[in-house]
Amino acid sequence: MTTQPSRTGAGAPSTPWAEEFGRFLDDAALFPPGNAPMATAVARHWKHRAAWYGPVVGTFVCPDRRWDELVGQLDGEGPVLDLSLVVVDGPESLAAGVARAQAHPRVRLRAVELPVTGSTPGEPEALMQTIAAAVPRTVAVYAEVGLGPGVHQTVQAVAQAGFCVKFRTGGTRADSFPDETRLAAALVCALRLGVPFKLTAGLHHAVRHTGPGAGFEHHGFLNVMAAVAAAHEGAGEETVASVLACREPESVARRCTPHARAAARAWFTSFGTCSIDEPLDDLSALRLVGRD
């Protein structure tokens, strides 16, 4: 399987929360709804990494189309940026993007993320071979898989290639938010096939809730942890869906025991968030992370 980055960086405090939530929050400040300018996003990322909660901050997520902007913020000497490169322009641009990232002295390429479809018979397997030829095995590959028909076939191809999978859990439209049944099916599929995964979009808070304004139904990232722990113990899709649907913070917190969190993190590697502060505030309020 693709080598996964260490959850905690060198010199990180050896506290239980630093291990349980190490590198859990991938910094996707460039993406909607945050849409931070590059200079702002990079500056905030350094502040996050230097703060007491730095161990929970994962990679800086950047589209390959914005590489030149990113490099413009990395002139001179300074810390190394742990990067997750989102390949927007298709697998044909993958090798060039990887080469640029690996050549830069202030970039450590941790992961690449790119969509795969699986809509054509044989397509997933061929695409995995193309990706494998372009990405060193020391770099994690997250193949974004849609939650519609064919998800099992595509996740199976990802598993056979030794990659990880990425599921989208939100967006700017209501139909971008999968309901608990669809997400449960995808999570159970990934675990049954032995594939670690990350999530992206919509996971602003720990517990499932209805968002303000547009009223989108947001999954909670602690719900996902509890659901994955249940699936790890053998629960089926119906039970996993019921955990995802729970809106009671106390009930979700009770399910997220230290044992459950450790079991979940073996599969649930991270999630992309345009705001580090929002999920961190929830983790702090639930006393799952803290300065002490």
Side-chain angles (χ1 to χ4, degrees):
M1 181 168 290
T2 301
T3 301
Q4 296 298 303
S6 170
R7 287 189 193 165
T8 53
S14 56
T15 59
W17 63 260
E19 176 60 26
E20 291 176 356
F21 296 102
R23 296 187 179 275
F24 192 41
L25 310 180
D26 285 338
D27 190 348
L30 298 174
F31 294 82
N35 295 314
M38 182 66 74
T40 301
V42 173
R44 287 177 180 169
H45 184 75
W46 295 133
K47 290 181 179 179
H48 289 315
R49 292 300 298 268
W52 64 266
Y53 54 86
V56 309
V57 181
T59 57
F60 183 80
V61 186
C62 181
D64 55 356
R65 291 179 181 175
R66 301 187 67 177
W67 172 256
D68 290 342
E69 290 181 68
L70 176 60
V71 169
Q73 302 299 316
L74 300 177
D75 291 338
E77 297 182 355
V80 174
L81 184 77
D82 286 332
L83 177 69
S84 186
L85 187 69
V86 178
V87 179
V88 178
D89 293 326
E92 61 274 7
S93 65
L94 178 59
V98 168
R100 285 194 300 266
Q102 290 201 302
H104 198 284
R106 288 191 57 195
V107 171
R108 182 186 296 111
L109 184 62
R110 291 281 192 176
V112 295
E113 307 176 19
L114 72 169
V116 296
T117 62
S119 57
T120 303
E123 182 182 277
E125 293 78 8
L127 183 54
M128 298 307 141
Q129 292 176 5
T130 300
I131 296 169
V135 182
R137 292 195 62 80
T138 53
V139 177
V141 174
Y142 286 91
E144 182 175 339
V145 176
L147 300 184
V151 60
H152 186 275
Q153 177 195 8
T154 308
V155 174
Q156 189 170 40
V158 173
Q160 291 170 348
F163 299 155
C164 305
V165 72
K166 172 181 172 183
F167 296 124
R168 188 164 295 275
T169 48
T172 57
R173 304 180 321 206
D175 59 4
S176 299
F177 292 78
D179 64 19
E180 62 271 21
T181 301
R182 289 173 60 203
L183 182 56
L187 297 179
V188 170
C189 175
L191 264 67
R192 298 295 181 264
L193 292 172
V195 185
F197 66 90
K198 72 173 292 185
L199 302 179
T200 190
L203 295 174
H204 299 289
H205 293 288
V207 178
R208 185 180 178 91
H209 64 284
T210 302
F216 298 151
E217 293 297 308
H218 291 254
H219 290 287
F221 61 83
L222 278 189
N223 290 75
V224 176
M225 291 190 80
V228 171
H232 176 74
E233 296 295 329
E237 293 180 17
E238 185 175 348
T239 298
V240 171
S242 70
V243 178
L244 292 173
C246 183
R247 294 170 176 267
E248 297 298 327
E250 295 81 5
S251 178
V252 175
R254 282 196 300 270
R255 286 181 173 273
C256 268
T257 63
H259 175 76
R261 295 195 294 269
R265 287 306 308 281
W267 303 101
F268 184 12
T269 64
S270 64
F271 67 94
T273 174
C274 67
S275 169
I276 297 295
D277 294 333
E278 287 180 334
L280 179 67
D281 287 346
D282 279 13
L283 288 171
S284 298
L286 292 167
R287 298 182 180 180
L288 294 175
V289 303
R291 289 177 180 271
D292 297 329

